[in-house]
Every structure is written in C-alpha cells, then in structure tokens.
Amino acid sequence: MALPATTKMQVANGKTIEIPSVGFGTWASGEISWCKDATLAALKAGYRHLDCAWKYGGISFSARPPDQQVDHAVGAAIRESGIPRSEIFITTKFWPHFAAPENVSRCLQLVLDDMGLEYVDLYLAHWPVAFKALPAAALSTAHARPGASHAELGIAVGEDGREVVDLRHSARNIAAAGGDTHGSFVPTWRAMQRLVRTGKTRAVGVSNFSIVQLQELLDAGHAGDRDGNEDVPLSCNQVEAHPWLPNDPLLDFMRSQGIVAAVYSPFAGQKADGATLLKDSRVVQIAEKNGMGVGQVLQSWAVMRGTVPLGKSQNEGTLGAVQQAAFVRPRLQRHFLNMLLIWHFGVVDRIKANLAVKRLPEEDFEALSALRLNGDEGRTIDYSDDWGVKLFV
C-alpha cells in the first residue's frame, strides 16, 4: 500500500503547505561535478523535494566552473528539467558563521543568486551554534567546496586554527555552557522570521536542534514580537534519524508542537567497525521478503513514522573516483561520463526505488525499530569535539 506523497507543514498566518514526503539530498563529500546530472535524474524520476545547503557548495562571483558549484548545478538541473518552479520544494540552510542576525539574509541571497532562483520554500539554521565570521566583504565572496579553507568559507579562526564560537548568537544552553549568560539564538530566529515577509522563503525552521533548543524559540514566539512576526511558526527541524538512531523523544516533542521532522542520513553512516545499516542482514532480509530495495525499505520506515527522509542515491564517491581515474576534465566529456555511470551503476534505479515508499507489514516495521543502538551510538554526524561544544543536548 502506498504511503502519502506529501505531508502538511505549518507556515505563516495560520496556513499550511504541502511538503513532499521524500526528499533528494544534494550533499557531496568529494567530486561534485555529478550534481547537475544526478539532480536532473532525480527530478525526471519524480522527486519534487530537493534538500540543499550553502555548505554543500556554492559561490557567487566565482571563476570556478559552474559544474563545480552545487547550488549552481541544482539550479541548472531545475531549469533543464522543464518542471515549473512552483512544483518543486526546495530547502536550504545557512552555516553557523552566518548566524549573526545581520548575516542571515546575506546567506539566503548568496544561495538564491547561485541557484538562479527568486525564493526557496524552506530556510533552516543548519546548527544551534554560531561561529564568528570574517568581515562582510569576505562573506560576500565566501564559498563552500570540499576542502575549502576557513578563509574561503568566511569563518574566523583562533590561534588554535579552530572556528571561534560566537556564544552571543548560539542557543542559550550552548552559550551558558561557554560562560555567556546572555547568549541566545532568538535574535537570529527573529531575523529568519522577517525573511518570510520578503518572499524569499515561504517558511523557516532549524536543523540539529534539541528539545531544549526548540523550546527556547517556541517560548520566544509565545512572548510575542514587536515586529509582528509571532505568526511565522517554527515549521521544521531537520535531524538525523534511522533505525540505529530513532530519536523518539525529540520526534515526539516535535509532533506535539506541529513541527515537521525532516530526517537526514535515513540510511545511517558507517560505524567504526565498518558496519552499515544498508548491509545489515536483518534489513536486507526484510527488503528481500517484500521485494524492495534496502534504501526503499528504510525510507518507507521513515515515512511510516511521519518523518520526511532525505536520502542520497547518486553514489558520488563512485562517480568521482572513476572520473579521476579516467583523467576526464572537459566539462562536456564529464557530463556524458556522469550519465553513463549513473545508468551503469544503477543509480537511476535506486533513485526511483527510494522514492516509491510503501507501507511495510507491521512486524517488519517493528523489527526495524528494534535495531536501535544504545544512547548516541547510532549517530553518524556529530561535530561536538571538532567545535568544542556539546551538541544534541
């Protein structure tokens, strides 16, 4: 039995909009020239929800080839697809050094310029922590790419070479733990809410926020806003969730507040011992039993829980490795090689299958839910040690 194709999301003025139940992730960990072709393949396969972020790779006023800019490539894929912009739901996010209230709109404009779009559907704060940024002139030309330096990203660093945490604009519990009793994410949140009035985003939300951090923003909404933005709700929180890390308490709280749960890494990552959820014998067995792909099973489980999974199926690591081995450099040749590899490695088939979510038998749903690991053992994305702050609390 098919599952709902969309779910409702609260937006300004007490209204709701439809967000597609399954999204396509555009994040790249290495070679990114695949992005336009993989995104175009996803759109042609039926995806109408693209998950993007400034940190995934974009740059304004750059001499870099367009196919080396994820945001540019995503925008090009949208235009080439011929699908009306109004039929595609686009999410993007700002990295922590854009978290000062005056920089929130700057990042959104950079993304819109790179994508060639007039608006996005959902704009998120990527993390509840803020970083100190370089001066505005540096931010205006900042760019993200694999291996980019802090200077290229526009991030200020300390003597130890690490990001300088901006406690004043971080979530209250992070600021307090760092010794700043006046720090709060609320001013940044107010700046995000104001963007809805500009028409450059239809909704705003956050990512990787804990219950305590969500409550900080919800309480600010209850207190009202002299700018008249109290009717712009916290629409979404994008978090990691999969059978190894169900994140039940957080998701239950979000449901109680009407906050959509978009979930990244629905297939989980690789554990220290090399184990992966995609190769877990119990998951494989359930997939075979139901005549489904493993990714299709995991995304179906996610949708059955009322969450919006944001899987990736483009296998960019394989594409990049083969391209480099073949010494393919001209953009036209790279395009044809991308398409050849996308078809040869079955990427299109996986893209289509992962979108075709369907209701699993109850016993299989429960069997997947029983795969949870203790505590945070199943978490695959955690920058707490790198940034010197405690996340997810």
Side-chain angles (χ1 to χ4, degrees), residues 157-197:
V157 298
E159 293 181 358
D160 59 359
R162 295 172 64 175
E163 299 90 346
V164 178
V165 175
D166 177 6
L167 295 173
R168 184 53 54 96
H169 296 116
S170 295
R172 184 174 293 127
N173 64 340
I174 291 176
D180 188 334
T181 58
H182 298 290
S184 172
F185 206 86
V186 170
T188 298
W189 176 243
R190 298 289 195 217
M192 294 177 67
Q193 289 178 303
R194 287 193 287 273
L195 287 174
V196 175
R197 304 297 183 203

Side-chain angles (χ1 to χ4, degrees), residues 5 19-26 42 47-52 89 91 262-264 266-267 299 303 307-314 351 354-355 357:
I19 176 172
S21 297
V22 176
F24 184 78
T26 62
Y47 280 82
R48 294 297 181 268
H49 180 180
L50 302 178
D51 181 61
C52 311
F89 191 100
T91 298
V263 298
Y264 63 82
F267 310 145
Q299 300 224 127
V303 176
T307 64
V308 178
L310 307 168
K312 293 196 307 139
S313 305
Q314 57 269 51
I351 287 174
N354 292 347
L355 179 62
V357 294

Side-chain angles (χ1 to χ4, degrees), residues 243-244 266-267 276-290 292-299 301 364 367-369 371:
W244 281 348
F267 310 145
T276 65
L277 191 57
L278 288 169
K279 295 182 180 179
D280 187 295
S281 60
R282 294 160 294 185
V283 180
V284 172
Q285 183 178 17
I286 290 172
E288 292 176 346
K289 170 189 170 184
N290 290 280
M292 300 168 66
V294 176
Q296 183 183 12
V297 163
L298 293 172
Q299 300 224 127
W301 177 83
D364 294 335
L368 291 171
S369 300
L371 296 179

Side-chain angles (χ1 to χ4, degrees), residues 262-275:
V263 298
Y264 63 82
S265 295
F267 310 145
Q270 181 172 297
K271 294 197 291 185
D273 61 3

Side-chain angles (χ1 to χ4, degrees), residues 338-359:
N338 280 346
M339 296 310 296
L340 174 64
L341 296 177
I342 284 172
W343 284 97
H344 178 73
F345 284 102
V347 176
V348 170
D349 290 339
R350 286 199 299 278
I351 287 174
K352 291 180 178 178
N354 292 347
L355 179 62
V357 294
K358 61 182 181 181
R359 191 170 299 279

Side-chain angles (χ1 to χ4, degrees), residues 16-333:
T16 61
I17 60 176
E18 301 290 329
I19 176 172
S21 297
V22 176
F24 184 78
T26 62
W27 177 79
S29 59
E31 168 66 46
I32 59 175
S33 68
W34 55 266
C35 186
K36 177 194 168 188
D37 298 317
T39 303
L40 182 59
L43 290 170
K44 288 183 175 180
Y47 280 82
R48 294 297 181 268
H49 180 180
L50 302 178
D51 181 61
C52 311
W54 179 86
K55 186 60 166 60
Y56 296 170
I59 174 171
S60 293
F61 313 113
S62 169
R64 286 171 63 208
D67 62 0
Q68 291 297 306
Q69 303 171 26
V70 168
D71 282 345
H72 189 289
V74 170
I78 292 170
R79 288 185 288 277
E80 188 170 324
S81 73
I83 299 167
R85 168 65 186 90
S86 60
E87 295 180 12
I88 303 173
F89 191 100
I90 301 174
T91 298
T92 194
K93 321 171 195 68
F94 65 82
W95 201 242
H97 64 306
F98 287 100
E102 64 271 19
N103 289 331
V104 170
S105 61
R106 188 188 307 277
C107 186
L108 178 56
Q109 192 59 55
L110 287 174
V111 170
L112 293 175
D113 289 344
D114 285 333
M115 285 190 172
L117 301 177
E118 295 182 355
Y119 72 96
V120 295
D121 297 275
L122 179 61
Y123 189 42
L124 306 178
H126 214 145
W127 293 92
V129 64
F131 297 153
K132 293 284 188 180
L134 293 178
L139 282 183
S140 295
T141 56
H143 65 272
R145 60 172 175 78
S149 67
H150 286 106
E152 289 174 311
L153 294 168
I155 300 175
V157 298
E159 293 181 358
D160 59 359
R162 295 172 64 175
E163 299 90 346
V164 178
V165 175
D166 177 6
L167 295 173
R168 184 53 54 96
H169 296 116
S170 295
R172 184 174 293 127
N173 64 340
I174 291 176
D180 188 334
T181 58
H182 298 290
S184 172
F185 206 86
V186 170
T188 298
W189 176 243
R190 298 289 195 217
M192 294 177 67
Q193 289 178 303
R194 287 193 287 273
L195 287 174
V196 175
R197 304 297 183 203
T198 70
K200 293 182 179 181
T201 181
R202 299 172 71 197
V204 286
V206 295
S207 179
N208 296 299
F209 274 52
S210 67
I211 293 175
V212 171
Q213 293 157 352
L214 291 173
Q215 192 64 62
E216 176 185 350
L217 303 185
L218 293 171
D219 289 344
H222 297 153
D225 175 11
R226 64 175 179 270
D227 292 331
N229 292 310
E230 62 272 10
D231 64 344
V232 178
L234 203 173
S235 298
C236 174
N237 185 22
Q238 188 178 124
V239 298
E240 182 177 356
H242 43 74
W244 281 348
L245 185 75
N247 236 331
D248 288 328
L250 175 59
L251 297 188
D252 288 343
F253 176 79
M254 290 162 59
R255 290 187 193 98
S256 73
Q257 301 298 319
I259 301 171
V260 168
V263 298
Y264 63 82
S265 295
F267 310 145
Q270 181 172 297
K271 294 197 291 185
D273 61 3
T276 65
L277 191 57
L278 288 169
K279 295 182 180 179
D280 187 295
S281 60
R282 294 160 294 185
V283 180
V284 172
Q285 183 178 17
I286 290 172
E288 292 176 346
K289 170 189 170 184
N290 290 280
M292 300 168 66
V294 176
Q296 183 183 12
V297 163
L298 293 172
Q299 300 224 127
S300 295
W301 177 83
V303 176
M304 286 180 67
R305 301 177 76 217
T307 64
V308 178
L310 307 168
K312 293 196 307 139
S313 305
Q314 57 269 51
N315 198 12
E316 75 282 353
T318 300
L319 300 184
V322 174
Q323 286 175 334
Q324 291 176 12
F327 295 101
V328 176
R329 290 295 178 264
R331 264 179 271 166
L332 186 60
Q333 286 181 286

